[in-house]
Every structure is written in C-alpha cells, then in structure tokens.
Amino acid sequence: MKKLNFITLGFFFLIASCQAPEKSSDENAIPYQKEEWKGVQGKTLADSKPYFIGPPKAPEGAPNVLIILLDDAGYSNASSFGGVMQTPTFDRIGDEGIRYTHFSVAAVCSPSRGSILTGYNIHQIGTGIISEFATGYPGYNSQIDYTTPSIAKILTENGYATAAFGKWHNTPMEEASPAGPFESWPTGMWGFEYFWGFLGGETNQFHPLLYENTTAIETPKTNADGSTFHLSHGMADQAIKWLDNWKGLRENPFFMYYAPGAVHAPIQVPEEWRDKYKGKFDEGWHVYQQELLERQKKLGLVPENAQLVEWPEVIPEWDSFSDEGKKYLSRQMEVNAAFMEHVDHHIGRVINRLEEMGELDNTLVIYLTADNGVTAEGTPTGTFSELLFQNGFPPLTMEQQLEKLEEFGGIEEWGGPHLANHYSVGWSYASSTPFQWTKQIASHFGGTIAATAIRYPKAIKAKGEWRRQFQNITDIVPTILEVTGVPTPDYVNGQKRIEYPGKSLTYAWNDPDAKTNHPTQYFEMTGFMGLYHEGWTISGKPYRVPWSVDPEALKNFDPLNTEWELYNINEDPIQSVNLADQYPEKVKELEELFWKEAEKYDVYPIGGSMGRALQPESNPQRAAKKYWELTPNVYRVPELAGPEIKSTNYEINAYLTATKQTEGVIYAVGERLGGQALFIKDGKLRYSYSTLGLYWHDFNGNVPIPEGEVKITLKHTMKEARLNGPSLVEFFINDQKVGEMDIIATVYAAFTGHETFDIGRDEGLPVNEEYEHLGKFPFSNGKLHKVVFEIE
C-alpha cells in the first residue's frame, strides 16, 4: 500500500510539474480565449438574441507595418549613403523619414532574420549561425520555441493580416522537405498567415525553388507583364496581388515581411539591366572607395575629418591585375550595381501601390539594405561559382577564373542564369566604406552595420535627417509593439516569453540629440567577437580572412587569446583610430563585459558555429538517416533534407523495369554548377558529377540497359578521408561491374544553395545540359520502382 501511495504521489507530482506556471490576472497570454458569448438563448428564436464572436481585432487605429530587408548589400551601396547605385525607393523612405548611421545587425544573414522577427539576440533563438551549419549547442542549433515568439505570431493573434515574401532562411533545411515537419516554416510557429518565397539562404534569381505556404510551386516562366521571370520582379507582382486582396477583402491592418534574394550571390539580373553601369567602375576599388568617402562627408554621414584605415595587405591592389583582369573585375561591380537598382525599383512598385491605396502614410516602413555587412565570399578575384568558398576550396587565381569563365560562355554570361557569380573582395571592402571589414566579421562595423531608413509620418516629423544613436535589430520588435499598440504577451502557446533585450526606437524619432537607449550590445559570429558599450567598442582582431574556411586558416582560432582593438565611437564613429595601447584598463573592462554578455545570451562555446568544421560530430546531417528507400514520388527535396551523398562512402541501388525505350533520370541533386545525376539516355547508363563547376566528371561507358527487371548499383568510395577528397565511383548492373570513374574532388558541404534532390526527374536547372531540352527528363517507358541509398 505504501508503494502504491508513493507511486500515486509521484504521478500527481509529475502532472503538476508538467503544467505551465500559474499566470497572474494581469498577464497577457496568446492565443486568446474566445470572447464570452453575450447573446440570449431562449427556447425559440422569438425570445433569443444573436451575438457574433469574431476573431481578435487589432487596436483601434493600429497602422500597417512593412519591413523590407535586402541581402548582403554594402553599407555605402545606396545613393543616399554615398553610393553610385541608384536606389530611389530606399532614398525616398529616408527623405520622407529618418536614416540611421549606426543600425547594427548580425554579421551573417539568417541570424539577423531570426532576430529582426523575434526581437531577441541571435544566440537566444539558436541562430548563432545559418541554419545549414547548425550545430549541437543551444546558441547554434536553429531551434526556437514560443519563449521567443515571432512578431508575426503576436500580430496575427492580435488581428493583423500577415504575410512573408522572398527569402526565409530560418527553417532548418533538414526540416524543409515536402514531408515536413512544418512547425518551423513561416506559417508554422513563426505565425505568418501566408508565405511566398524560398526557404534557403540563396537561390537562382531566374529559376528559384519557390513555395506557397508549405507547397512547392512551379517557377513561373514570365512576370505579370510578360517579361522573362526574375525573382525580384515576380516577388513584387505577388506582394501587390496579396495587397490587392487584403485591401478588398480584409478590414484589419497588415504586417508584411518583404525580403528579396537580392543582392546575395549569385549576382543575377535581367539582361536589359546589365549595362546600366557600364564603365562606372573602370578606375578600380581604391578610387571608388575614396569617392564614396567624399560623398559621405558631403552628405553629413561621416565627419569632415574622417580618415580611412590603410587598405588591408591581404586584399590585392587594383593595379596588381592585368588589363583583362581589370575588365573582368569591373564587370563584376557593374552587374552588382544593376542588381541593386533593379530590386529597389521593384520594391518601389510595392510602395507605389500602397500610396495608390491611400495606405502608405498609415504604414510604418522599415527598410534595411542588408542583413549583415557586405559579403566577401567572392574571393580576391571574384568567382564564377560562389559555392567553392562555402565548401572550403582555396581561391582560384585570376588566370584560373578567366579560363573557367570562358568555359561557361565568357563575360557575356556574367549576371545570367547559368553562372553562380560573385564579385571580388576588393569591391566588398570598398563597399563597406567608411567602416572596416565585411560580412562574417562581427568584430567590426563593416560586418555589422546596415544602411537603414524608417518612414512613418504619423510619428516621425523629421524629413531626411540622420539619427546617430547606436541601435540594433532587436529594437525593431519593441518598436512595432509600441507603434501598433499591440500588447506584449507574457505567455505564448503556454510558454512564458523571456524579456526583450532591445528597446523601442521611437524615443529618438523626433529628438536627434537623445542618448541611445541601447547602451550595450555584444557581437559574435564564427569566432569573430566585438562589443559596443556606452560609446566605446572593442573589436577582436580577425583571426582569418572571411573568404577562406580552409582548415589551415582555422588553426589560428583561440577566443581566449583574442587581440582586442579599442575605439571611441563618440569621437571616432567609423572605427579608424585604435586606442587599445592608450587605454588598456578600458580594454580589460569591456572584455570582462563581453564575457558576461556572452554567458548571459547563450554564446558559449565561442566558435560553436564552427562545429561542423572543427568538431564533425556537431553535424546533424552526418548523424541523420543512413538508409533511405525512395520512390519517384519523392522530388523537390532541398539538398540538405535528402541523403548525405557528398564526401562520404555510400551505395545506391536503383530497381527498375526497363524496355528498349527506357530513358530518364534515376536520381539527381544540384545542377551543372554543382551536382550529380544518374540517368539513362539513348539506352545507355550515364552519370555526371560536377564539382561546383571546377571539375566535371561524366561516365559514358557505352553500357546498354538490359530489358526486364534491372538493378543498377552505384558505389562511391572516398580515396582519402578529408573534406572534398578524391573518390572512386563504380557502376554495376545486376551485380556485375560495368565500369568505374575517378572524381578529382568531391563536394563536402553543399552542391548548391538552392537546388533540389529528386527521384525519377531533375527539377530546377539540369545537372547535365545534354537533357536540358527534355525538361525535367522524367523516367519513362519503363518503371522506376525505388532507389535505395545506404550511407556509411
């Protein structure tokens, strides 16, 4: 009996411990309970009175909210921040509102995107790195819950119509398959009612892998005006369509998160735009940088006496290149500038539609030109294939780049759909003017400050003024909540919300001299560290260059022995004069504060984001399924949600019934600039493997496919157990070896940032252009029963 009582008490204790903590009567919890029904229920209609309970309503007079977030643009790209790139829409928002000189973001993209949508520091929501490189530590695992709820979730529950367009990049890619789980998708716990866009970190602008809500959709062939489809154009079409439906059919305000893929690599823009900046960059990046600084001085963005730090020795001088090389480098920036103007132009169409509706002045518009500093992942020469960097390949020489460019059609192809092109780090560094460094480098403002403009005439009386207060993207959610009057929830779906680290921006909208209300902010990304505190910053000296993740470059990483630089931002807002030797006690004070902030916000272990490179057991995909049995109903799967068939040992067995006419793809992943495909063409077994366009391997062994029941086996064996090591591929038909081929270098991390894994077809761009004219080249004239992947 005592045992039974003990078990019974234990059971009730367990139940009690699993219940949500008690809420006091003055706490706010969403989703809200249904409003009490206040009608009368009599026995008949005559003695009854109806009462209608509708969905929650937004506060009376609550405005619309529009967040516009570009990708990877330089701080000085926009014309209103000193650039030559024409950005009339961004400039208009600032001209009719205010611009921030020191609006900080994370040093890499999806962390910023998570932070801007939740109001929390990046490690608090597990996005200390992009979701593709998530590791097994709390600050880096890409897993959020309702303790850090999305602003879309809050606004939806408070009567807003909510929609997200464009780049998402906050769903772990292993959860982005057609089978889900869908909880971490935009329409899941993030709370958006509608989503149209792509889930990963980048996409081909002409052939994006698009989703509507949780359903994959075919890439349109044309835009609404009949022109060839391009994502920046088509996305504006879709957003305008949604706005027209909202205006005609809903009575509540809207929240729109508008995040184009531009100007992230691949740098792709419609052909008719590519020559708009021809000749504008022929004098090179040193001249361009100085011209940017002079324009910024005239705009009042930087002090008249501002001086840039010396050009880094690790970035080539412009005159170190040949005339042919300079022509190639100039073209890179011409297309980049056209890409920036093109996306801003189409954002302007959305702004114009709001104005036509009479809704623009009732909309809080927050426009950031980047989610991080300008990217330096294009290597010193620029690159025809930007995934080479992400996979750890060493940068190519100028001669190698030019040679590969010719293989892919020459400079005329730059900016088109068939290259994954990116510009040189020389242009990147210049585009960070007046700051030092670039994307990834969280220690310096070049990696963490985004050109930002805000327009809301109902509350902002200023026109075209600078706001010099240091702020952070964690301040955006508190701002939205204050402006809309939506109550801040204490509980969301039964989980207690943790306190916001940021503060509302409204305090300085009409007070340019106000002291910042965000006095302390830490920064960390892939081991690069920095801290802002009350007008001072410490910046860890970069331990590697941001265009190399080679293991040799990572050997210098030791966060406990960081060499700190010190800057007085009140006197030196561009971080140009290092005062560390003059004020060692200040350095020590701020270093201690950094470690306190890092512990408080789940940054430990420093460098946890590099687990996949430095601690392979941190890679969840390597620990995922080892046995996959798939049918032709499985396709349009993001690469990282499928089998791990890269720098690993694996065996693939395809079971089919063949005829003399059988042809088509057995499986495919990626595309011509990175991917592999096993297929049958002209009655023969074929296999193609592209090492990111750097090497091309093609098996065409004149091996016929017999009729009847057939098993085709592909056995992949690494010759060296290392990143991107060489391998041997052997082919068998009905267990009889029919051929083999060598692969010079395998792909370790990802074939592409946007393509698919498919059974029985090749979605998106083809791996082998021989079958491009056949579309998806589906398996036909026979039956593909299943394809089995076994990973060692």
Side-chain angles (χ1 to χ4, degrees), residues 105-260:
V105 294
V108 170
C109 47
S110 61
S112 288
R113 292 164 188 274
S115 191
I116 202 171
L117 286 172
T118 63
Y120 293 96
N121 284 318
I122 60 176
H123 299 87
Q124 289 181 284
I125 54 174
T127 57
I129 189 60
I130 60 175
S131 55
E132 291 91 336
F133 295 146
T135 64
Y137 297 103
Y140 308 92
N141 60 15
S142 289
Q143 299 293 324
I144 73 164
D145 59 24
Y146 289 109
T147 64
T148 54
S150 161
I151 185 62
K153 172 71 174 176
I154 296 170
L155 293 180
T156 298
E157 297 288 352
N158 280 275
Y160 268 71
T162 58
F165 294 89
K167 174 175 173 175
W168 181 243
H169 208 196
N170 279 120
T171 297
M173 293 312 293
E174 61 268 22
E175 298 179 23
S177 79
F182 299 110
E183 181 68 0
S184 63
W185 288 50
T187 54
M189 70 186 306
W190 291 87
F192 284 99
E193 295 177 314
Y194 180 79
F195 170 66
W196 187 95
F198 61 99
L199 289 175
E202 63 180 64
T203 193
N204 186 295
Q205 295 290 308
F206 296 95
H207 301 280
L209 175 61
L210 294 174
Y211 290 85
E212 187 168 32
N213 300 319
T214 58
T215 301
I217 58 176
E218 291 291 333
T219 302
K221 300 296 184 185
T222 61
N223 302 306
D225 65 359
S227 60
T228 300
F229 182 82
H230 185 280
L231 183 56
S232 297
H233 190 151
M235 180 176 154
D237 291 342
Q238 196 68 20
I240 289 170
K241 178 181 176 182
W242 184 88
L243 284 171
D244 285 351
N245 277 275
W246 163 79
K247 184 67 173 179
L249 303 173
R250 302 279 292 266
E251 288 189 321
N252 41 1
F254 72 79
F255 168 54
M256 181 185 289
Y257 174 64
Y258 190 93

Side-chain angles (χ1 to χ4, degrees), residues 461-536:
K461 305 308 177 186
K463 303 290 183 184
E465 294 180 3
W466 296 108
R467 290 295 176 267
R468 303 184 187 278
Q469 294 84 2
F470 178 90
Q471 304 292 165
N472 184 258
I473 46 172
T474 55
D475 300 327
I476 289 178
V477 165
T479 303
I480 293 171
L481 291 172
E482 179 182 344
V483 170
T484 61
V486 168
T488 304
D490 299 294
Y491 288 83
V492 180
N493 281 44
Q495 292 184 281
K496 186 169 178 58
R497 183 190 61 81
I498 62 178
E499 183 181 354
Y500 288 123
K503 305 291 184 183
S504 172
L505 298 166
T506 60
Y507 76 100
W509 280 357
N510 296 307
D511 185 1
D513 298 321
K515 186 178 179 180
T516 181
N517 66 352
H518 199 124
T520 305
Q521 180 64 46
Y522 79 91
F523 296 94
E524 189 278 339
M525 184 59 60
T526 63
F528 298 110
M529 301 181 293
L531 176 84
Y532 171 89
H533 179 64
E534 296 182 348
W536 292 83

